Coordinates of all heavy atoms in Angstrom, one line a residue:
E293 N -12.3 10.1 12.4 CA -11.2 9.6 13.3 C -9.9 9.3 12.5 O -8.8 9.5 13.0 CB -11.7 8.3 14.0 CG -11.1 8.0 15.4 CD -11.8 6.9 16.1 OE1 -12.9 6.5 15.8 OE2 -11.1 6.4 17.0
A294 N -10.1 8.8 11.3 CA -8.9 8.5 10.5 C -8.2 9.8 10.1 O -7.0 10.0 10.2 CB -9.3 7.8 9.2
D295 N -9.0 10.9 9.8 CA -8.5 12.2 9.5 C -7.7 12.7 10.7 O -6.6 13.2 10.6 CB -9.6 13.2 9.2 CG -10.2 12.9 7.8 OD1 -9.7 12.0 7.1 OD2 -11.3 13.5 7.5
T296 N -8.3 12.6 11.9 CA -7.6 13.1 13.1 C -6.3 12.4 13.3 O -5.3 13.0 13.6 CB -8.5 12.8 14.3 OG1 -9.7 13.6 14.1 CG2 -7.9 13.3 15.6
F297 N -6.3 11.1 13.1 CA -5.1 10.3 13.4 C -4.0 10.6 12.3 O -2.8 10.9 12.6 CB -5.4 8.8 13.5 CG -4.2 8.0 13.8 CD1 -3.6 7.9 15.1 CD2 -3.5 7.2 12.8 CE1 -2.5 7.2 15.3 CE2 -2.4 6.5 13.1 CZ -1.9 6.4 14.3
Y298 N -4.4 10.4 11.0 CA -3.3 10.5 10.0 C -2.9 11.9 9.7 O -1.7 12.1 9.4 CB -3.8 9.7 8.7 CG -3.7 8.2 8.9 CD1 -4.7 7.4 9.3 CD2 -2.4 7.6 8.8 CE1 -4.5 6.1 9.6 CE2 -2.2 6.3 9.1 CZ -3.3 5.5 9.4 OH -3.1 4.2 9.7
R299 N -3.9 12.8 9.7 CA -3.5 14.2 9.4 C -3.0 14.9 10.6 O -1.9 15.5 10.6 CB -4.8 14.9 8.8 CG -4.6 16.4 8.4 CD -5.9 17.0 8.1 NE -6.8 16.9 9.2 CZ -8.2 17.1 9.1 NH1 -8.7 17.3 7.9 NH2 -8.9 17.0 10.2
D300 N -3.8 14.9 11.7 CA -3.5 15.8 12.8 C -2.4 15.2 13.7 O -1.6 15.9 14.2 CB -4.8 16.0 13.6 CG -5.9 16.6 12.7 OD1 -5.6 17.2 11.6 OD2 -7.1 16.5 13.1
V301 N -2.4 13.9 13.9 CA -1.4 13.3 14.8 C -0.1 13.0 14.0 O 1.0 13.5 14.4 CB -1.9 12.0 15.4 CG1 -0.8 11.3 16.2 CG2 -3.1 12.3 16.3
L302 N -0.2 12.2 12.9 CA 1.0 11.8 12.2 C 1.5 12.9 11.2 O 2.7 12.9 10.8 CB 0.8 10.6 11.4 CG 0.5 9.3 12.2 CD1 0.4 8.1 11.3 CD2 1.6 9.1 13.3
G303 N 0.7 13.9 10.9 CA 1.2 15.0 10.1 C 1.1 14.8 8.6 O 1.8 15.5 7.9
L304 N 0.4 13.8 8.2 CA 0.2 13.6 6.7 C -0.8 14.6 6.2 O -1.6 15.1 7.0 CB -0.3 12.2 6.4 CG 0.5 11.0 6.9 CD1 0.0 9.7 6.4 CD2 2.0 11.1 6.6
K305 N -0.7 15.0 4.9 CA -1.6 15.9 4.4 C -2.8 15.2 3.7 O -2.6 14.2 3.1 CB -0.8 16.8 3.3 CG -1.6 17.9 2.8 CD -0.7 18.8 1.9 CE -1.6 19.5 0.8 NZ -0.7 20.1 -0.2
L306 N -4.0 15.8 3.9 CA -5.2 15.2 3.2 C -5.1 15.6 1.7 O -5.1 16.8 1.4 CB -6.4 15.7 3.9 CG -7.7 15.2 3.3 CD1 -7.9 13.7 3.6 CD2 -8.9 16.0 3.9
M307 N -5.0 14.6 0.8 CA -4.8 14.9 -0.6 C -6.0 14.8 -1.4 O -6.1 15.4 -2.5 CB -3.7 14.0 -1.1 CG -2.3 14.2 -0.6 SD -1.7 16.0 -0.8 CE -1.6 16.1 -2.6
A308 N -7.0 14.0 -0.9 CA -8.2 13.8 -1.7 C -9.3 13.2 -0.8 O -8.9 12.5 0.2 CB -8.0 12.9 -2.9
R309 N -10.5 13.5 -1.2 CA -11.6 12.8 -0.5 C -12.5 12.2 -1.5 O -12.8 12.8 -2.5 CB -12.5 13.9 0.3 CG -11.9 14.3 1.6 CD -13.0 15.1 2.3 NE -12.5 15.8 3.5 CZ -12.2 15.2 4.7 NH1 -12.5 13.9 4.8 NH2 -11.8 15.9 5.7
Y310 N -13.0 11.0 -1.2 CA -14.1 10.4 -1.9 C -15.2 10.2 -0.9 O -15.0 10.2 0.3 CB -13.7 9.0 -2.4 CG -12.9 9.0 -3.7 CD1 -12.1 10.0 -4.1 CD2 -13.0 7.9 -4.6 CE1 -11.4 9.9 -5.3 CE2 -12.3 7.8 -5.8 CZ -11.5 8.8 -6.1 OH -10.8 8.7 -7.3
P311 N -16.4 9.9 -1.4 CA -17.4 9.5 -0.4 C -17.0 8.3 0.4 O -16.6 7.2 -0.2 CB -18.7 9.1 -1.3 CG -18.4 9.9 -2.5 CD -17.0 9.9 -2.7
G312 N -16.8 8.5 1.7 CA -16.4 7.3 2.6 C -14.9 7.0 2.5 O -14.5 5.9 3.0
A313 N -14.1 7.9 2.0 CA -12.7 7.6 2.0 C -11.8 8.9 2.1 O -12.3 10.0 1.5 CB -12.3 6.9 0.7
S314 N -10.7 8.8 2.7 CA -9.7 9.9 2.7 C -8.4 9.4 2.2 O -8.0 8.3 2.5 CB -9.6 10.5 4.1 OG -10.7 11.3 4.5
F315 N -7.6 10.3 1.5 CA -6.3 9.9 1.0 C -5.3 10.9 1.6 O -5.4 12.1 1.4 CB -6.3 10.0 -0.5 CG -7.3 9.1 -1.2 CD1 -8.7 9.3 -1.2 CD2 -6.9 7.9 -1.7 CE1 -9.6 8.5 -1.8 CE2 -7.8 7.0 -2.3 CZ -9.1 7.3 -2.3
F316 N -4.2 10.3 2.2 CA -3.2 11.1 2.9 C -1.8 10.9 2.3 O -1.5 9.8 1.8 CB -3.1 10.7 4.3 CG -4.4 10.7 5.0 CD1 -5.2 9.5 5.2 CD2 -5.0 11.8 5.6 CE1 -6.4 9.4 5.8 CE2 -6.2 11.8 6.3 CZ -6.9 10.6 6.4
A317 N -1.0 11.9 2.3 CA 0.4 11.8 1.8 C 1.3 12.8 2.4 O 0.9 13.7 3.1 CB 0.4 11.9 0.2
T318 N 2.6 12.6 2.1 CA 3.6 13.6 2.4 C 4.1 14.1 1.0 O 4.1 13.4 0.0 CB 4.7 13.1 3.2 OG1 5.5 12.1 2.5 CG2 4.2 12.4 4.5
G319 N 4.6 15.4 1.0 CA 5.3 15.9 -0.1 C 4.5 15.9 -1.4 O 5.1 15.7 -2.5
D320 N 3.2 16.1 -1.3 CA 2.3 16.2 -2.5 C 2.2 14.9 -3.4 O 1.9 15.0 -4.6 CB 2.7 17.4 -3.4 CG 2.2 18.7 -2.8 OD1 1.2 18.6 -1.9 OD2 2.6 19.8 -3.2
Y321 N 2.5 13.8 -2.8 CA 2.2 12.5 -3.5 C 0.7 12.4 -3.5 O 0.0 13.0 -2.7 CB 2.9 11.3 -2.8 CG 2.8 10.1 -3.6 CD1 3.2 10.0 -4.9 CD2 2.3 8.9 -3.1 CE1 3.1 8.9 -5.7 CE2 2.2 7.7 -3.8 CZ 2.6 7.7 -5.1 OH 2.5 6.6 -5.9
H322 N 0.1 11.6 -4.4 CA -1.4 11.5 -4.4 C -1.9 10.8 -3.2 O -2.9 11.2 -2.6 CB -1.9 10.9 -5.7 CG -1.3 9.6 -6.2 ND1 -1.6 8.4 -5.5 CD2 -0.4 9.3 -7.2 CE1 -1.0 7.4 -6.1 NE2 -0.2 7.9 -7.1
H323 N -1.3 9.7 -2.8 CA -1.5 9.2 -1.4 C -0.5 8.1 -1.0 O -0.2 7.3 -1.9 CB -3.0 8.7 -1.2 CG -3.4 7.5 -2.1 ND1 -3.5 7.6 -3.5 CD2 -3.9 6.3 -1.7 CE1 -4.0 6.4 -3.9 NE2 -4.2 5.6 -2.9
H324 N -0.1 8.2 0.2 CA 0.8 7.1 0.8 C -0.1 6.2 1.6 O 0.2 5.0 1.7 CB 1.9 7.7 1.7 CG 3.0 8.4 0.9 ND1 3.1 9.7 0.8 CD2 4.0 7.8 0.1 CE1 4.2 10.0 0.1 NE2 4.7 8.9 -0.4
V325 N -1.1 6.8 2.2 CA -2.1 6.0 3.0 C -3.5 6.4 2.7 O -3.8 7.6 2.5 CB -1.9 6.3 4.5 CG1 -2.9 5.5 5.4 CG2 -0.4 5.9 5.0
A326 N -4.4 5.5 2.5 CA -5.8 5.8 2.3 C -6.6 5.0 3.3 O -6.1 4.0 3.8 CB -6.2 5.4 0.9
A327 N -7.8 5.6 3.6 CA -8.6 4.9 4.6 C -10.1 5.0 4.1 O -10.5 6.1 3.7 CB -8.5 5.6 6.0
N328 N -10.8 3.9 4.2 CA -12.2 3.9 3.7 C -13.1 3.1 4.7 O -12.6 2.3 5.5 CB -12.3 3.5 2.3 CG -12.3 2.0 2.1 OD1 -13.0 1.2 2.8 ND2 -11.4 1.5 1.3
I329 N -14.4 3.4 4.6 CA -15.4 2.7 5.4 C -16.3 1.9 4.5 O -17.4 1.5 4.9 CB -16.2 3.7 6.3 CG1 -16.8 4.8 5.4 CG2 -15.3 4.3 7.4 CD1 -17.9 5.6 6.2
W330 N -15.9 1.6 3.3 CA -16.8 1.0 2.3 C -17.3 -0.4 2.8 O -18.5 -0.7 2.5 CB -16.2 0.9 0.9 CG -15.8 2.3 0.4 CD1 -16.4 3.5 0.6 CD2 -14.7 2.6 -0.5 NE1 -15.8 4.5 0.0 CE2 -14.7 4.0 -0.7 CE3 -13.7 1.8 -1.1 CZ2 -13.7 4.6 -1.5 CZ3 -12.7 2.5 -1.9 CH2 -12.8 3.9 -2.1
N331 N -16.5 -1.2 3.4 CA -16.9 -2.4 3.9 C -17.0 -2.5 5.5 O -17.4 -3.4 6.0 CB -16.0 -3.6 3.5 CG -15.8 -3.7 2.0 OD1 -16.8 -3.6 1.3 ND2 -14.5 -3.8 1.6
S332 N -16.4 -1.4 6.1 CA -16.0 -1.6 7.5 C -16.6 -0.5 8.4 O -16.1 -0.2 9.5 CB -14.5 -1.6 7.6 OG -14.0 -0.4 7.0
R333 N -17.6 0.2 7.9 CA -18.2 1.3 8.7 C -18.5 0.8 10.1 O -19.1 -0.2 10.4 CB -19.5 1.8 8.1 CG -20.2 2.9 8.8 CD -21.6 3.2 8.2 NE -21.5 3.6 6.8 CZ -21.4 4.9 6.4 NH1 -21.2 5.8 7.3 NH2 -21.3 5.1 5.1
G334 N -18.0 1.6 11.1 CA -18.3 1.3 12.5 C -17.4 0.2 13.1 O -17.6 -0.2 14.2
A335 N -16.4 -0.3 12.3 CA -15.6 -1.4 12.8 C -14.8 -0.9 14.1 O -14.4 0.2 14.2 CB -14.6 -1.8 11.7
G336 N -14.7 -1.9 15.0 CA -13.9 -1.6 16.2 C -12.5 -2.0 16.0 O -12.0 -2.2 14.9
T337 N -11.8 -2.2 17.2 CA -10.4 -2.6 17.2 C -10.2 -4.0 16.7 O -11.0 -4.9 17.1 CB -9.8 -2.4 18.6 OG1 -10.2 -1.1 19.1 CG2 -8.3 -2.5 18.6
R338 N -9.2 -4.2 16.0 CA -8.8 -5.6 15.5 C -8.4 -6.4 16.7 O -7.7 -6.0 17.6 CB -7.6 -5.5 14.6 CG -8.0 -5.0 13.2 CD -6.7 -4.9 12.3 NE -6.0 -6.2 12.1 CZ -6.4 -7.1 11.2 NH1 -7.5 -6.9 10.5 NH2 -5.8 -8.2 11.1
A339 N -8.8 -7.7 16.7 CA -8.5 -8.6 17.7 C -7.1 -9.2 17.5 O -6.6 -9.2 16.3 CB -9.5 -9.8 17.8
D340 N -6.4 -9.7 18.5 CA -5.1 -10.3 18.3 C -5.2 -11.6 17.5 O -6.2 -12.3 17.6 CB -4.5 -10.7 19.7 CG -4.0 -9.5 20.5 OD1 -3.8 -8.4 19.8 OD2 -3.8 -9.6 21.7
G341 N -4.3 -11.8 16.7 CA -4.3 -13.1 15.9 C -5.2 -13.1 14.7 O -5.4 -14.1 14.1
M342 N -5.8 -12.0 14.4 CA -6.6 -11.9 13.2 C -5.8 -11.9 11.9 O -4.7 -11.4 11.9 CB -7.4 -10.5 13.2 CG -8.8 -10.6 13.6 SD -9.5 -8.9 13.3 CE -11.1 -9.2 14.1
T343 N -6.4 -12.6 10.9 CA -5.7 -12.6 9.6 C -5.8 -11.2 9.0 O -6.6 -10.4 9.4 CB -6.3 -13.6 8.6 OG1 -7.7 -13.3 8.5 CG2 -6.1 -15.0 9.1
G344 N -4.9 -11.0 8.0 CA -4.9 -9.7 7.3 C -3.8 -8.8 7.8 O -2.7 -9.3 8.2
L345 N -4.0 -7.5 7.7 CA -2.9 -6.6 8.0 C -2.6 -6.5 9.5 O -3.4 -6.0 10.2 CB -3.3 -5.2 7.4 CG -2.2 -4.1 7.6 CD1 -1.0 -4.5 6.8 CD2 -2.7 -2.8 7.2
S346 N -1.4 -7.0 9.8 CA -1.0 -6.8 11.2 C -0.4 -5.5 11.5 O -0.8 -4.8 12.4 CB 0.1 -7.9 11.5 OG 0.8 -7.6 12.7
D347 N 0.5 -5.1 10.6 CA 1.1 -3.7 10.7 C 1.8 -3.4 9.5 O 2.0 -4.2 8.6 CB 2.1 -3.7 11.9 CG 3.2 -4.8 11.8 OD1 2.9 -6.0 12.2 OD2 4.2 -4.5 11.3
Y348 N 2.3 -2.1 9.4 CA 3.1 -1.6 8.3 C 4.0 -0.6 8.8 O 4.0 -0.1 9.9 CB 2.2 -1.1 7.2 CG 1.3 0.1 7.5 CD1 1.7 1.4 7.1 CD2 0.2 0.0 8.3 CE1 0.9 2.5 7.5 CE2 -0.6 1.1 8.6 CZ -0.2 2.3 8.2 OH -1.0 3.4 8.6
T349 N 5.0 -0.2 7.9 CA 6.0 0.8 8.3 C 5.9 2.1 7.5 O 5.8 2.0 6.3 CB 7.4 0.2 8.1 OG1 7.5 -1.0 8.8 CG2 8.5 1.1 8.6
L350 N 5.9 3.2 8.2 CA 6.0 4.5 7.5 C 7.4 5.0 7.8 O 7.9 5.2 8.9 CB 5.0 5.4 8.2 CG 4.4 6.6 7.4 CD1 3.8 6.2 6.1 CD2 3.4 7.3 8.2
R351 N 8.2 5.1 6.7 CA 9.6 5.5 6.8 C 9.8 7.0 6.5 O 9.3 7.4 5.4 CB 10.5 4.7 5.9 CG 12.0 4.9 6.1 CD 12.8 3.9 5.3 NE 12.8 2.6 5.9 CZ 13.5 2.2 7.0 NH1 14.3 3.1 7.6 NH2 13.4 1.0 7.4

Side-chain angles (χ1 to χ4, degrees):
E293 209 172 340
D295 290 351
T296 299
F297 182 76
Y298 283 99
R299 179 188 60 200
D300 305 340
V301 177
L302 295 186
L304 305 185
K305 186 172 154 190
L306 182 68
M307 292 305 294
R309 279 192 191 281
Y310 275 33
S314 286
F315 297 80
F316 309 95
T318 65
D320 282 343
Y321 189 53
H322 51 74
H323 62 298
H324 287 108
V325 178
N328 78 55
I329 54 168
W330 301 329
N331 303 316
S332 54
R333 183 188 297 273
T337 310
R338 287 175 61 79
D340 286 344
M342 256 187 190
T343 56
L345 183 65
S346 161
D347 57 274
Y348 63 101
T349 304
L350 206 54
R351 186 173 288 281

